[in-house]
Every structure is written in C-alpha cells, then in structure tokens.
Amino acid sequence: MNDHSWFRLLVRLFGLYLLLAYAPELVMQFLRPLAFPEGYYTSMPTPQFIVFFVMPLVASVLPVVFGAYLFFRGNKLIRWCMRDIIGHCPTCGYDLRGNMQANCPECGCENPYRGKFAVSKPGGLSADASNTVSSG
Amino acid sequence: MKHAAPAEGVFVLPRGKGFSFAQRVLAVRLFALILGTILLAWFFNQVANRDPESVATTNEEVLYSSQGVIHTFFLAFGQSLGNLSWTDVVQLLTYLTVALVMIFGLFMPALKLDRLIRRKHRS
C-alpha cells in the first residue's frame, strides 16, 4: 500500500489547494452583506438575493467542503480510486487475487498480494486450484 | 514507484520503459479528479457571476416575492442563464462537458483505462 502513497499525498495537496483557493472567497461571500446590507435584507428572497448571494455561496461552499474532505478525511475516495488496482500486479495489471505464487505469472515481478486474497472461489475451486487452472 | 524488480532467475520479456500499470491508472484518475473539480467549480462561478442589473426589475421582484422560494430560484436561475452571450454559452458548455467526461472517466475500470492509455503504443 505504501507504493501508492504519492497518490494519497497529491490528493491531500489538491484538497489543500481547494481550501486555500476558495475559502477566502467563501469568507467574502459572508462579509458582502455586511458591507451592503440594504441590498440583501430588504426583500428576501428576491431573485437578486438568490442569484447573487446564494449561488456564489454555493459555488464557493462546494469546493471548500470537498477540499476539506480531501485534506482531512478523503480515505474513502482514495480507496475507491484504487478499487481495481489493489489485487492486480502493480507493473502489468495482471489479476493476482487468489494467486499464491511468489511472482506474477505475466511479468515475473514479485507478487505483493501473495496470500492476501486466499479465499475459495465460487464453483468449489480453492485459491490454489484456480491458480493452477489460470496459470496452466 | 519504480517497476518492481523480478525475482532472481525469472526471465522477463522486455516490455518497454515507462510507468507501471498502477502509476498510469492513478495518474489519469488524479488528473481527471483535479480537472473535473476545478472545471465544475469554475462553471458554477461563471453562472453565478452574472450582471446584476439585468436579472429582474423592481416589479418582477414583487412578483417573485409572492411566489415560493424554489420557483423563484428557478426563475432567477433561468434569467441569469438568459444573460449569457452565445460565446459564453459555448465556452461554458465546452468546459462543462470536459468536466463531466473527467468525472465519468473516474468510473472506468482500471484495465480498460490502461488499455486506452497504451493503445497508441501497440503495433
């Protein structure tokens, strides 16, 4: 899993970028009604209020929330992005799930998932038996 | 991450240089995630930052105030979209399309994505 740490780092950096880029805009959206109170609080909800306060607010809230999620939590999204990489050979992409061999049958590189997906497959074949079938 | 070294005594066919399977897929997904998010945020900003003078007159304000918030929102949103010029519309639609393609690209299976990336390198 440490091989993909660069991906985690870049996702976190992107979250930080979203926070830094859009959080000031979000603060400005809250400060704007304080600077021009008569334009916002006279007759809510007017189209002006909705389009020129709520819409920019939404447009700046969403990136900030998403950036905060990526920066502080984000593990679920990162796991989802790696959903079909885990279990495959990192070099050639060969499906190594259930493969008990020390090396990838496709490219010969070391099998990092050896024994980690040793579950019996449907049809009564154990992991070893299915390996024999697939590699043979 | 570099290519994992093959075990000793294992003959490996030369498969060319470059990035590994995981690197290719993760790099493309990261690129799609970044570009899709930035373009979507940019799209909403562009739609929201319209000219305030032409959205509604005072009489229309009274009319809208008498209706529901949801209805008012869609009327106002439609009006703000109506203020876009043709150039703006083409630009917005182009970037929105690219953003949606990027987001949907995240759902593509890794093996298919890898084949797509490497297709031009095949003979």
Side-chain angles (χ1 to χ4, degrees):
Chain A
M1 190 61 70
N2 288 331
D3 296 338
H4 308 308
S5 54
W6 63 273
F7 181 72
R8 289 175 183 276
L9 176 67
L10 288 178
V11 168
R12 303 263 188 250
L13 283 179
F14 178 57
L16 184 63
Y17 162 76
L18 285 180
L19 275 178
L20 292 179
Y22 288 93
E25 194 179 339
L26 182 64
V27 173
M28 287 303 296
Q29 289 296 326
F30 280 109
L31 291 181
R32 194 179 293 174
L34 299 178
F36 308 102
E38 67 280 358
Y40 287 95
Y41 296 121
T42 50
S43 56
M44 293 190 289
T46 62
Q48 278 83 359
F49 175 80
I50 291 174
V51 173
F52 300 108
F53 181 69
V54 176
M55 280 294 291
L57 191 64
V58 170
S60 49
V61 161
L62 290 180
V64 169
V65 169
F66 189 57
Y69 169 72
L70 289 184
F71 186 67
F72 292 110
R73 297 194 63 83
N75 287 329
K76 206 168 182 178
L77 182 73
I78 292 171
R79 272 201 304 272
W80 181 77
C81 282
M82 295 196 283
R83 63 194 182 278
D84 42 8
I85 291 176
I86 306 297
H88 289 251
C89 174
T91 303
C92 67
Y94 188 83
D95 191 354
L96 292 173
R97 284 172 295 180
N99 197 317
M100 300 300 286
Q101 297 173 359
N103 302 101
C104 171
E106 181 79 5
C107 65
C109 295
E110 187 185 351
N111 179 3
Y113 306 107
R114 185 182 182 190
K116 292 184 180 175
F117 292 91
V119 291
S120 59
K121 291 188 175 180
L125 286 176
S126 67
D128 289 334
S130 63
N131 279 339
T132 312
V133 171
S134 62
S135 60
Chain B
M1 182 186 71
K2 293 286 182 187
H3 286 279
E8 204 170 323
V10 174
F11 175 71
V12 181
L13 286 172
R15 289 188 170 273
K17 297 172 182 174
F19 296 103
S20 69
F21 163 78
Q23 284 174 326
R24 284 190 298 267
V25 172
L26 285 181
V28 169
R29 281 183 178 166
L30 182 70
F31 178 72
L33 181 73
I34 290 175
L35 201 60
T37 308
I38 288 179
L39 285 181
L40 270 184
W42 179 87
F43 173 80
F44 282 114
N45 261 325
Q46 288 294 310
V47 173
N49 295 333
R50 290 295 105 196
D51 180 17
E53 297 299 326
S54 53
V55 166
T57 62
T58 311
N59 290 333
E60 285 171 331
E61 273 186 36
V62 177
L63 173 68
Y64 292 144
S65 306
S66 64
Q67 301 180 14
V69 176
I70 304 295
H71 186 61
T72 308
F73 172 78
F74 281 109
L75 281 176
F77 187 67
Q79 282 195 349
S80 74
L81 286 180
N83 289 328
L84 296 170
S85 68
W86 176 246
T87 315
D88 286 340
V89 169
V90 171
Q91 194 183 17
L92 283 173
L93 284 183
T94 306
Y95 283 108
L96 182 64
T97 308
V98 174
L100 291 180
V101 166
M102 290 290 144
I103 301 252
F104 283 115
L106 286 173
F107 290 87
M108 192 183 285
L111 290 173
K112 198 173 176 182
L113 191 63
D114 189 47
R115 274 200 299 272
L116 198 68
I117 297 167
R118 298 182 61 188
R119 190 175 56 180
K120 63 180 178 182
H121 299 299
R122 291 186 175 181
S123 56

